[in-house]
Each structure stands twice: as structure tokens, then as C-alpha cells.
């Protein structure tokens, strides 16, 4: 029986509405996510920017470029001092990005494909969990979409405003660069795509590239001048050198790096980030695209998405850390292929099931069992199981008013979330309003829970305790400590992060080896108590 056009339209609208509701529900679940390591650091740095007018590099040090701290400062300004402030900000950001993504996709795909693609993107994002959301890559989504949008528009025939599109591409590229330097590989995808031109498009490539370079250079020079006028440029350049040494902990072409990082962790975490089922479906979607490529060259978006996906993954390889959140810079470009794979495999699965239903009893029974086993395996390795384990428990914990830090510590044994909460509560009860505290360690949520902010350039101890730390940073810290001694001095132990520091020492061991800081502690403080992995000293 044929379905009438109005009925088909109604069914399609209901289907899209269902996808919207699923997406909204998954985003709402992220509000309940607690802090992870990075979110705590970004929040403390963001509040320093907001409340003290602090400037990254000059007033506090971290391994990340500066823009993420300003985004966290904005979330605190809008929603206050809460763990869920950045989660609401992230939810609204992902919602705006999803709407923009949908609008771009509907220019090239059917609306149901566009809606499914956006839903898949959100499922993958929310499913990465509390540790991997509200990260730098999370906020790379909109500038990446802007880059995709203007690149596609620039390739459309008879366009007269190519230079303007290039200007917008340069703005998006500068934002990506200031979020994280390796995100610039998305710009390379845009430029390469424009340069892959027909003979009559050489002028298009020139005007687009000129616009991109113009706005990118203007914004970057503007930022450098800002650093110079605020007295931050020297620290910024020192930080660049520090990061370059940090990157060499695992050499780019080292034997262990190639064997362990590139050929083991990289594919393993690429697949686990989007789940095995989605990865297989995406590969099927790419196969469909390649099969149709010889017949249809009218849809340039497929090629740009694939190129962006590949080059952004090269950026992940260049960082050599292989955290799941790093892959989020690329997963959204793979989502349309997953949607294509779903629409390709569903009819095939339906035909297989119908043939099994019509076959003889022994074959039907065995075939049906095998079919159901395959479906169950696919579901087990799909985002739905991951979402249930990563999202739902946090909703329950918050509603039940349980200690989320205990669950965080259970999931991440070397991240002492519950202990940081306890230390923060302890200090909040004992430190007066004008008393400063100083935390020497990797985990900075203590400042947040104590409702205090650093009074020195030491946000985390990491940049100050590596073999390649600039002596000027250590000298500055000691001078700041002497000029304004904190009421409480907290040192973390058991926080070895060799992949960051290049050392097997924890923060307390590094403190004991740094004579100037060790002597300052011994001369001015006495041991107060120890809570978990945190030694607390109070001023004599």
C-alpha cells in the first residue's frame, strides 16, 4: 500500500521530533555531570579572569591556550559559582551548534538525514561522560561549523563575495587556534578543499585564501599586541617553549610512540569514542558515498567532511595523548556518514528478516537466532549502553543528594574528587574571608570548593616542576609567596603524572627537591592535618 504524501510528511515530522526529544534529553543529562580534572582547572582560571581581571600566562600558568578560560569566565558571569554553571553554558552552546549544523546539512541532505546526523553527534558527545565534556574541543564546534559553512559557500558557482567568506574562515581559524593550537588542522582542510579546484576556479581560491589569511593575521597580531601591552608577552613566549618541551615527552617519531600511541591507543580510542556500532555504520556510509561518487559530483559536502575528519585526526595524533575528548573535534564530521550507513543498512536488515520469516523452520530458527545475536551485539556496542553508564548515574546521584565525588574517585582512581571536596570544606570553615590558600599539586578543585582563588601564578604545580621549567617562573612564585604568604599551604601527594611532567615524582616529592619552596614551607608553616592525598600546613 502506497503512503500518501501528507501521511509521509506527518510520519517524517514525528520521526524528526522524536530525534529532537532524544537529543534534548541527552543534553539535559549533561547538566548533572560533576567536575573532572580539566573542568576544575578551567573554572578556577575562569573565575580568576572574572573576579581578579587575571590574564593567562601573566597571572596564572597552564598548558592550554587562553580562550577556554574566558569561556569559563563567561559561564561564571552568567550562571554563578556552581559546578553546573559550565554545564548549562555547554548545553546552550551545543544546542546552538546543533541548530546551525542542522541548517547547514539541510542544504545538502534530506531533513531526516540532517536530523539523524545531529542526534548522532549529540549521542556521541553526551556519551563521552563528565570527564570529556565541556572541554576545549567542545567549544571548537561552532567555529568548525562556520569554517565548514563558508568553505562550502565559497565553492558554489557564481559567488561574488568569496573574499568575505575567506574573512569569516580566518576568524573561525583564529578562534580554533586560540582554543588549541592543533585545531588549526581544520583550516588546512578548508584551504585544501578550495585549492582542489577546476581550472576556472583559480580566482576563487586566491580570493578565499587572501581573506582567510587577512583576518587570521589581524586577530593573531591583535592578541599578541594585547599580550605585549598587558605585560604578558614574555610569559606567553616562555609558555610556548614550555609546551614544545612538554610535547616531546613522547617523541613524534619515537619507537614507543609509534607502536603504542599511533597503532594501539589511537584506533582503540577513536572507535570507543563513537562506539563500535557507529564506527561500522560510518564505514558503511563512506562506502555508499564512494560507490556513488562516480555518478554524482554535485554534493561537495561529503568530500569536505571526509577531508576535515582526516586532518583533525592528524591533529589528535600530533598531540600524542589520545584522550577521548580530543576525538570530538572530528566525530561530528563522521556523523553524516553514520546516518548514511543507518539508512543504507536498515532496508537490507528488513529484507533479511523477511526472507528468514519465509524460510523453512530449521533455517528460519537458526537464521533468526543469528540475526538477533548480531542485533544484540550491535546494541551492546552502541552509544545507548554507553549513555546509560555515563549519563543516567549522575542524574540519580544528584537527585538522591549523594556525594558525586565518591563516584568520580571510584571511576578515576588517581583523581581524588571526594578528597578535594573534603579539603575545600575543611579550609572553608577555618580560613577567614581575606585569608589566602596555596595548593601545590595537579588537582585544583580545592580552590573551587573552598571558594578561594590562587594569589600566585601557580594554578597547577605542573608547569613549575618540570626539568624544562623557566627559572623566571619559579623565582616569581617564591617572590609572590614571600610578599603575601598564604594562611594555608596544601600539598598533594600520590599525583604522579609522568605524561605531563616527564617525571615519576609526585607533587610533594617535587616540593621537597625544590630547596627554595621547601625552605619557605619549613620556615613559615607547621603541619595541620592530612586529608586523603593532601597534606595541609598552616602558618605558624
Amino acid at each position: 500500500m502506497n503512503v500518501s504524501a501528507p501521511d509521509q510528511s506527518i510520519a517524517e515530522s514525528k520521526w524528526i521530533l522524536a530525534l529532537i526529544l532524544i537529543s534534548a534529553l541527552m543534553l539535559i543529562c549533561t547538566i548533572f555531570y560533576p567536575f573532572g580534572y580539566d573542568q576544575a582547572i578551567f573554572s578556577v582560571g575562569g573565575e580568576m579572569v572574572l573576579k581578579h581581571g587575571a590574564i593567562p600566562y601573566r597571572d596564572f600558568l597552564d598548558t592550554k591556550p587562553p580562550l577556554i578560560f574566558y569561556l569559563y569566565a563567561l559561564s561564571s558571569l552568567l550562571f554563578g559559582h556552581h559546578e553546573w554553571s559550565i554545564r548549562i553554558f555547554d548545553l546552550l552552546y551545543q544546542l546552538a551548534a546543533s541548530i546551525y549544523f542542522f541548517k547547514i546539512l539541510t542544504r545538502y541532505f534530506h531533513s531526516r538525514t540532517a536530523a539523524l546526523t545531529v542526534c548522532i553527534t549529540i549521542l556521541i558527545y553526551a556519551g563521552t561522560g563528565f570527564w570529556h565534556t565541556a572541554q576545549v574541543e567542545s567549544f571548537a564546534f561552532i567555529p568548525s561549523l562556520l569554517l565548514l559553512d563558508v568553505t562550502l559557500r565559497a565553492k558554489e558557482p557564481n559567488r561574488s563575495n568569496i573574499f568575505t567568506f575567506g574573512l569569516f574562515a580566518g576568524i573561525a581559524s583564529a578562534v580554533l587556534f586560540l582554543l588549541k593550537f592543533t585545531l588549526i588542522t581544520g583550516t588546512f582542510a578548508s584551504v585544501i578543499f578550495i585549492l582542489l579546484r577546476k581550472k576556472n576556479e583559480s580566482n576563487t581560491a586566491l580570493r578565499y585564501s587572501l581573506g582567510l589569511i587577512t583576518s587570521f593575521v589581524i586577530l593573531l597580531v591583535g592578541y599578541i599586541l594585547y599580550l605585549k601591552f598587558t605585560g604578558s608577552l614574555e610569559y606567553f613566549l616562555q609558555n610556548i617553549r614550555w609546551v614544545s618541551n612538554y610535547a616531546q615527552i613522547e617523541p613524534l617519531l619515537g619507537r614507543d610512540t609509534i607502536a603504542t600511541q599511533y597503532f594501539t591507543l589511537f584506533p582503540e580510542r577513536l572507535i570507543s569514542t563513537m562506539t563500535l556500532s557507529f564506527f561500522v555504520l560510518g564505514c558503511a556510509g563512506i562506502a555508499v558515498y564512494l560507490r556513488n561518487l562516480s555518478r554524482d559530483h554535485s554534493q561537495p559536502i561529503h568530500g569536505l567532511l571526509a577531508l576535515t575528519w582526516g586532518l583533525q585526526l592528524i591533529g589528535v595524533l600530533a598531540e600524542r595523548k589520545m584522550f577521548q575528548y580530543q576525538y570530538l573535534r572530528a566525530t561530528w564530521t563522521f556523523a553524516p556518514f553514520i546516518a548514511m550507513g543507518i539508512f543504507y543498512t536498515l532496508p537490507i536488515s528488513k529484507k533479511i528478516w523477511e526472507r528468514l520469516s519465509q524460510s523453512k523452520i530449521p533455517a528460519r530458527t537458526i537464521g533468526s537466532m543469528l540475526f538477533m545475536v548480531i542485533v544484540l551485539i550491535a546494541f551492546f556496542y552502541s552509544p545507548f549502553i554507553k549513555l546509560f553508564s555515563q549519563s543516567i548515574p549522575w542524574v540519580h546521584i544528584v537527585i538522591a543528594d549523594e556525594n558525586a565525588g565518591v563516584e568520580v574517585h571510584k571511576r578515576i582512581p588517581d583523581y581524588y574528587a571526594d578528597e578535594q571536596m573534603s579539603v575545600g570544606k575543611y579550609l572553608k570553615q577555618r580560613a577567614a574571608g581575606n585569608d589566602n590558600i596555596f595548593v601545590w599539586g595537579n588537582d585544583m578543585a580545592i580552590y573551587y570548593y573552598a571558594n578561594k582563588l590562587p594569589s600566585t601564578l601557580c594554578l597547577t604545580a605542573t608547569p613549575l616542576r618540570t626539568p624544562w621549567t623557566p627559572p623566571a617562573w619559579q623565582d616569581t612564585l617564591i617572590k609572590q609567596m614571600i610578599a603575601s604568604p598564604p594562611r594555608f599551604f596544601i600539598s598533594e601527594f600520590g599525583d604522579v603524572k609522568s605524561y605531563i611532567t616527564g617525571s615519576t615524582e609526585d607533587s610533594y616529592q617535587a616540593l621537597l627537591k625544590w630547596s627554595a619552596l621547601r625552605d619557605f614551607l619549613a620556615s613559615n608553616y607547621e603541619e595541620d592535618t592530612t586529608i586523603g592525598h593532601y597534606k595541609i600546613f598552616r602558618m605558624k
Side-chain angles (χ1 to χ4, degrees), residues 23-24 26-28 30-31 33 68 71 86-102 118-126 128 132-143 145 328-329 331-332:
S23 303
M26 290 303 99
L27 283 177
I28 288 171
T30 64
I31 296 175
Y33 286 169
I68 187 64
L71 291 172
I86 189 58
R87 301 300 182 178
I88 292 181
F89 184 83
D90 186 33
L91 182 152
L92 296 175
Y93 184 95
Q94 299 303 324
L95 179 62
S98 298
I99 293 170
Y100 186 24
F101 196 21
F102 180 79
V118 171
C119 183
I120 288 168
T121 304
I122 292 173
L123 290 176
I124 292 172
Y125 180 70
T128 56
H132 301 289
T133 47
Q135 288 276 3
V136 170
E137 282 78 2
S138 305
F139 301 110
F141 197 7
I142 288 180
L145 289 174
L328 294 175
R329 71 184 73 186
T331 51
W332 64 273

Side-chain angles (χ1 to χ4, degrees), residues 22-42:
I22 292 171
S23 303
L25 180 61
M26 290 303 99
L27 283 177
I28 288 171
C29 285
T30 64
I31 296 175
F32 298 88
Y33 286 169
F35 276 168
Y37 170 81
D38 287 315
Q39 293 83 4
I41 292 172
F42 298 152

